Amino acid sequence: MKKIIIVAIALLCALSLQAQGDLHLISVDNKDGKVTAKQIEKMLNADNFAVDLNSPMNGPFKKQFQQTDFKVFTLMTFHHKTLATELIIKYPKVGAITPMGIGIYQGINEDTLHISILTAEAQEKILGIKTPLFKEIETELLTLFKKNFPSAKFEISEDSLKESRDLITLYELDLDGEDWEDAKDEFEMNLESSFEPFGFIVAATQDLTFLDDEKIEEVYDFYDTYSICKLKVIYTVAKSRPEASAFAPCTTMVYKKKDEDKIVVGFPAVYNWLSSAKIKDKAAEDALIKAQNDFESILKEVTE
């Protein structure tokens, strides 16, 4: 039987108490509805970024809940075409937020389109690392948005709530000399089959070695990510804190470094949503905590 070691990343407490919000909030006049998620996708792809997922949620909202509070509600993920490779090579845990999320939303009675993106400092806080690469990506990204939307309003969200719980959790699967390819296939097959019974949807999967096969494969035997949604969570949270959509879909990473005899699985906890988006609504908090518990139970089950 495989030995499972649950690793909690030590957080930098001082960072969690900093008096600064975790989200860039961009507001664009969109009374005529001409600014669309497709337009934003095209803008990113034409620059130094690549969009991995562009998922409109109003259709699923209406189908499952028979209503939506939004004219636009889109979950988008993207990565930097060159710096993402450097991040993955230097910081294995970065796959928990690579690709990154962008929330794009506009209320039914609003004339303003809103865009929500994690700050560089928030990404460092979540992963427990310090690197100038996040700031470099952030600068390019904001410059691009300002160029394309010169009249937009750029703000930082309210100070995040204090959070003492681990913002990311890692599970280590000790291979004990077992062939890693067999272990990977078995683990990922069991993982994927376990999502649906708990209401999770795999919005996208990626083999991150595609970023730069040669460089990444020098460090990793494999590096996969799953973009995972739980529709009830997104719908419930969006009613009070739509800016939390920057965290959705949640990315689960599965990788093995060449110099290690273990497979690592990790995901950012829902405590990021609660803290960064200042979620205080009980229904939203209950939905998030249930999702956290369900997801942990899945990982424990498939690694026994």
Side-chain angles (χ1 to χ4, degrees):
M1 183 178 290
K2 304 180 183 75
K3 179 182 178 184
I4 312 303
I5 308 170
I6 300 178
V7 179
I9 296 176
L11 299 176
L12 300 176
C13 296
L15 284 176
S16 67
L17 299 176
Q18 64 183 352
Q20 179 179 332
D22 290 339
L23 300 169
H24 288 290
L25 301 177
I26 305 171
S27 302
V28 183
D29 179 68
N30 198 34
K31 188 174 183 178
D32 57 10
K34 290 183 178 179
V35 181
T36 66
K38 277 290 184 185
Q39 178 185 350
I40 293 172
E41 177 182 6
K42 184 177 180 180
M43 174 193 80
L44 291 166
N45 285 335
D47 202 78
N48 289 330
F49 301 93
V51 171
D52 305 290
L53 175 71
N54 183 342
S55 183
M57 302 304 295
N58 270 339
F61 284 171
K62 291 176 182 177
K63 182 177 181 180
Q64 184 163 335
F65 306 106
Q66 291 73 56
Q67 71 93 219
T68 179
D69 296 334
F70 301 92
K71 293 178 185 176
V72 177
F73 197 94
T74 296
L75 305 180
M76 185 177 291
T77 62
F78 73 102
H79 65 271
H80 193 281
K81 292 176 182 176
T82 57
L83 296 181
T85 298
E86 190 172 349
L87 280 167
I88 289 291
I89 290 171
K90 290 184 176 180
Y91 310 103
K93 298 189 296 290
V94 82
I97 53 174
T98 300
M100 277 182 62
I102 301 180
I104 303 168
Y105 54 95
Q106 181 173 349
I108 284 179
N109 298 317
E110 282 191 294
D111 294 332
T112 303
L113 183 80
H114 304 278
I115 300 161
S116 177
I117 310 168
L118 279 171
T119 66
E121 290 81 7
Q123 293 173 72
E124 291 181 334
K125 180 177 72 172
I126 291 168
L127 296 172
I129 63 175
K130 294 287 289 184
T131 172
L133 292 174
F134 285 132
K135 180 59 72 173
E136 188 174 344
I137 292 172
E138 177 185 69
T139 299
E140 286 190 34
L141 188 63
L142 293 178
T143 299
L144 182 61
F145 271 99
K146 289 174 181 177
K147 176 183 176 181
N148 283 269
F149 303 107
S151 61
K153 184 178 180 180
F154 290 76
E155 299 177 289
I156 298 291
S157 62
E158 303 172 76
D159 298 348
S160 59
L161 296 174
K162 295 178 182 179
E163 182 54 68
S164 60
R165 292 167 292 190
D166 297 315
L167 298 182
I168 184 171
T169 302
L170 299 181
Y171 289 74
E172 293 183 358
L173 183 62
D174 192 339
L175 296 179
D176 289 328
E178 181 182 350
D179 181 79
W180 68 263
E181 291 182 287
D182 291 340
K184 170 186 180 291
D185 290 344
E186 179 182 356
F187 175 80
E188 293 192 336
M189 179 181 65
N190 292 335
L191 181 67
E192 291 166 13
S193 66
S194 298
F195 288 137
E196 187 175 351
F198 285 88
F200 292 103
I201 299 169
V202 179
T205 60
Q206 280 190 319
D207 174 357
L208 289 192
T209 59
F210 88 92
L211 295 171
D212 190 318
D213 290 358
E214 186 175 336
K215 289 182 179 179
I216 294 177
E217 288 179 357
E218 288 178 2
V219 180
Y220 299 95
D221 284 316
F222 72 92
Y223 202 124
D224 295 337
T225 64
Y226 295 79
S227 295
I228 299 170
C229 296
K230 193 167 187 177
L231 192 59
K232 184 177 180 179
V233 171
I234 297 168
Y235 175 82
T236 305
V237 172
K239 285 189 167 295
S240 60
R241 289 293 187 180
E243 62 268 36
S245 53
F247 288 104
C250 177
T251 299
T252 296
M253 59 183 179
V254 185
Y255 69 82
K256 181 190 175 297
K257 294 188 70 177
K258 286 186 176 295
D259 59 354
E260 296 178 345
D261 190 35
K262 62 184 179 183
I263 292 174
V264 178
V265 187
F267 63 96
V270 301
Y271 312 126
N272 293 292
W273 301 50
L274 296 169
S275 173
S276 297
K278 300 192 76 167
I279 294 171
K280 298 178 182 178
D281 177 75
K282 189 176 187 306
E285 183 176 0
D286 288 348
L288 284 165
I289 295 300
K290 184 178 188 307
Q292 176 77 17
N293 293 336
D294 286 347
F295 200 78
E296 289 182 6
S297 70
I298 287 173
L299 293 187
K300 290 173 184 177
E301 177 68 24
V302 300
T303 53
E304 285 183 350

